[in-house]
Amino acid sequence: MSDQFRKRDRTPHGSQGADRHGAAPFDAARPFDAAQQQGATHPYDDEQPDGETYWQDGSEDTLYTGHSDYEHYEENEHGQEQEHGHPEAYDSVAYDPAAAAALPSRRTSRVSKRVRKRRRTLVFLVILVLFGAVVYFAVQTVKPMLGGFTVPDYPGPGSGNVQIVVPEGATGRTVATELKSKDVVASEQAFLDALKAAEGSASLQPGEFSMKTQMKAADAVTILLNVSDSKVDYAAVAQNLRINEVLAVLAKSTGLPEAEFTALANQPKLFGLPAQAKNLEGYLAPGEYRFPIELDAKEILTEMVTGTMKSLTDTGVTDPAEQFRVLTIASIIEFEGNEANYAKISGAIENRINNPNGETGGRLESDATVAYGLGLKTYNITAAQKADASNLYNTFANPGLPVGPIGSPGIKAIQAAAHPETNPYYFWVTINLKTGETLYAATFAEHQVNVAKYVAWCDANPGACS
């Protein structure tokens, strides 16, 4: 014989109604023995009146209790089931205490509920992470379309000189961080965007690079990319640099000895220049260069001189003597003004040197030329320095142009020198060295009024005019 638990019908015998817990009426075809109880679960922990505990035998709608909700049945010798009694609790059933002890406890049921809560929490967190990822990618997609997300970028071309080292295997993000920290680019993202736009045709080139501060991101990318099969030396030669400064940049950028550049620069005939030229001053065209690493010092200087000669011939100046004259005026214009007033200053220079009977007596009277002859860079020239005629670049003591260029002029200054603006002015003064604002005068009396404005600006900006 086998003992069995069977769900008690709480309704009167013979009734087909549900019991007080909503369970189905007694069904003799659904036995539930202690062995089945091993896999029972308890999803209804909150529905336990009178200290009763419920189990589920695998289906969602059948519950069993460990108290008086079960009747005890035995089989008689004819194999028929008959009621044997109503034990009040499974732990007091004498017929099978081991099976009764194996039934799940209320504690087991409550643990199952906590597990379900943890699972629900985990599912919620997964959904939250997925939602955040969707929002992030949506923002990245829409961001370029919104004006508020404009990536900061400098207009360029930049100024000064900054050395950037790109190690072997450096990532775009690493290089972007380095460039931003040294103010080469306005933002890391601007550089990364420009780098992405150039992908497919080039890759980051390891090495040391001479760059400028506040460059346009696309220009910075161009310098750092290996745009050809050959390695190159990058050199940035700014306008207004004197010859010694240019040669120092070339030596640092190429690794060639500066002394080698200097020796060659003092032999202008090697480069086909006129007799007036004492050296290569004025003929070393400013700009950004990428010299193949196999070039020697002479080949590098030749490339720069060729650039200046091309600017002169493109402007219509082909005579060697006239080229020297134009370069001299252009170099003065570079120091005395800015692109907006190059042509106007060029016209005033012509008025001075071509009219010996004018108020200036045919003298150019440029502070920049005197400073060059003294080997200084200053806006303040003393009376004694202006009176020193031994300085061949002193245009206060000596009439006409100085004996040669005082720097490396760019193409716009060359064009202005070759094609001066016709005007009545003999005098000019830049009254704001930060903005380049320049005033002009036809007489010395008017010029003195403008000079007073320059002095007032210098007093208001200590150190700016030194």
Side-chain angles (χ1 to χ4, degrees):
M1 292 178 60
S2 62
D3 293 334
Q4 296 178 332
F5 278 91
R6 193 173 299 282
K7 186 169 188 185
R8 180 196 296 179
D9 184 356
R10 290 291 191 145
T11 61
H13 290 292
S15 171
Q16 299 301 312
D19 67 16
R20 65 188 174 116
H21 301 297
F26 173 77
D27 183 358
R30 301 180 66 181
F32 183 80
D33 60 22
Q36 292 173 308
Q37 192 59 47
Q38 296 298 325
T41 59
H42 182 339
Y44 302 100
D45 192 50
D46 293 334
E47 301 180 9
Q48 300 182 37
D50 303 325
E52 295 175 341
T53 304
Y54 298 87
W55 297 272
Q56 185 176 359
D57 68 348
S59 63
E60 295 292 337
D61 58 349
T62 306
L63 304 177
Y64 298 91
T65 180
H67 281 304
S68 59
D69 284 353
Y70 295 85
E71 298 180 26
H72 182 211
Y73 288 84
E74 293 180 345
E75 292 183 1
N76 59 23
E77 66 269 10
H78 302 292
Q80 298 176 331
E81 294 178 346
Q82 65 181 18
E83 184 176 349
H84 187 67
H86 302 278
E88 290 301 313
Y90 61 81
D91 56 0
S92 63
V93 178
Y95 59 87
D96 195 354
L103 295 176
S105 67
R106 183 186 304 247
R107 175 182 177 84
T108 302
S109 302
R110 289 177 177 172
V111 169
S112 299
K113 183 176 181 181
R114 288 195 296 270
V115 170
R116 289 193 300 275
K117 286 183 178 180
R118 286 196 296 269
R119 289 174 179 171
R120 286 195 297 270
T121 301
L122 180 61
V123 170
F124 173 77
L125 291 176
V126 171
I127 293 174
L128 186 62
V129 170
L130 291 175
F131 176 78
V134 170
V135 171
Y136 172 81
F137 286 110
V139 170
Q140 295 301 311
T141 301
V142 176
K143 182 169 63 175
M145 307 176 190
L146 304 177
F149 289 93
T150 301
V151 177
D153 194 7
Y154 290 128
S159 62
N161 188 275
V162 179
Q163 294 300 116
I164 298 295
V165 177
V166 178
E168 188 75 37
T171 65
R173 175 66 67 179
T174 301
V175 175
T177 301
E178 174 74 2
L179 295 176
K180 177 63 174 66
S181 69
K182 294 189 175 180
D183 198 31
V184 174
V185 296
S187 65
E188 295 180 19
Q189 193 59 49
F191 175 80
L192 293 174
D193 290 345
L195 182 62
K196 183 177 181 181
E199 282 180 352
S201 60
S203 59
L204 281 174
Q205 176 180 322
E208 184 173 351
F209 301 87
S210 293
M211 306 182 75
K212 300 178 182 178
T213 58
Q214 301 188 357
M215 296 181 66
K216 187 175 179 62
D219 294 340
V221 168
T222 300
I223 294 171
L224 296 176
L225 289 184
N226 184 12
V227 295
S228 69
D229 293 334
S230 301
K231 298 279 187 175
V232 297
D233 291 319
Y234 173 79
V237 179
Q239 297 171 197
N240 290 343
L241 292 185
R242 296 174 180 175
I243 189 170
N244 62 311
E245 295 172 313
V246 174
L247 300 181
V249 169
L250 294 177
K252 188 172 185 179
S253 299
T254 64
L256 297 173
E258 185 174 343
E260 188 174 342
F261 283 109
T262 301
L264 290 166
N266 287 326
Q267 302 178 65
K269 288 184 179 181
L270 293 177
F271 303 89
L273 300 187
Q276 300 100 310
K278 304 303 180 185
N279 52 36
L280 297 185
E281 184 70 277
Y283 287 90
L284 300 177
E288 295 181 0
Y289 292 91
R290 291 167 182 80
F291 300 113
I293 59 173
E294 63 270 16
L295 293 187
D296 59 26
K298 186 175 186 299
E299 290 170 324
I300 289 173
L301 293 176
T302 297
E303 181 175 332
M304 299 179 74
V305 171
T306 300
T308 295
M309 300 303 290
K310 183 177 186 304
S311 295
L312 288 165
T313 55
D314 288 348
T315 305
V317 183
T318 57
D319 179 72
E322 183 62 16
Q323 288 176 339
F324 184 79
R325 178 181 181 277
V326 167
L327 282 180
T328 300
I329 295 175
S331 67
I332 297 170
I333 292 173
E334 286 276 22
F335 281 96
E336 293 281 355
N338 53 49
E339 292 183 8
N341 55 34
Y342 280 168
K344 188 170 290 186
I345 292 176
S346 181
I349 288 175
E350 293 291 346
N351 291 340
R352 286 191 177 195
I353 62 179
N354 293 325
N355 185 6
N357 297 321
E359 286 191 86
T360 62
R363 296 182 301 275
L364 183 56
E365 297 183 346
S366 166
D367 292 342
T369 64
V370 177
Y372 179 88
L374 294 172
L376 303 174
K377 277 198 169 183
T378 179
Y379 293 100
N380 295 324
I381 304 298
T382 67
Q385 291 169 333
K386 291 178 181 180
D388 182 11
S390 65
N391 179 355
L392 299 181
Y393 290 87
N394 184 353
T395 53
F396 285 87
N398 302 301
L401 294 173
V403 294
I406 62 173
S408 299
I411 180 61
K412 291 186 178 180
I414 290 174
Q415 291 171 341
H419 305 288
E421 175 189 291
T422 301
N423 58 57
Y425 304 124
Y426 282 77
F427 304 91
W428 69 89
V429 59
T430 301
I431 64 170
N432 187 320
L433 301 183
K434 292 182 179 179
T435 64
E437 181 183 358
T438 303
L439 299 180
Y440 307 87
T443 67
F444 184 71
E446 294 173 350
H447 178 60
Q448 288 299 99
V449 174
N450 295 336
V451 170
K453 295 179 181 179
Y454 164 72
V455 173
W457 186 90
C458 290
D459 291 340
N461 296 272
C465 301
S466 58

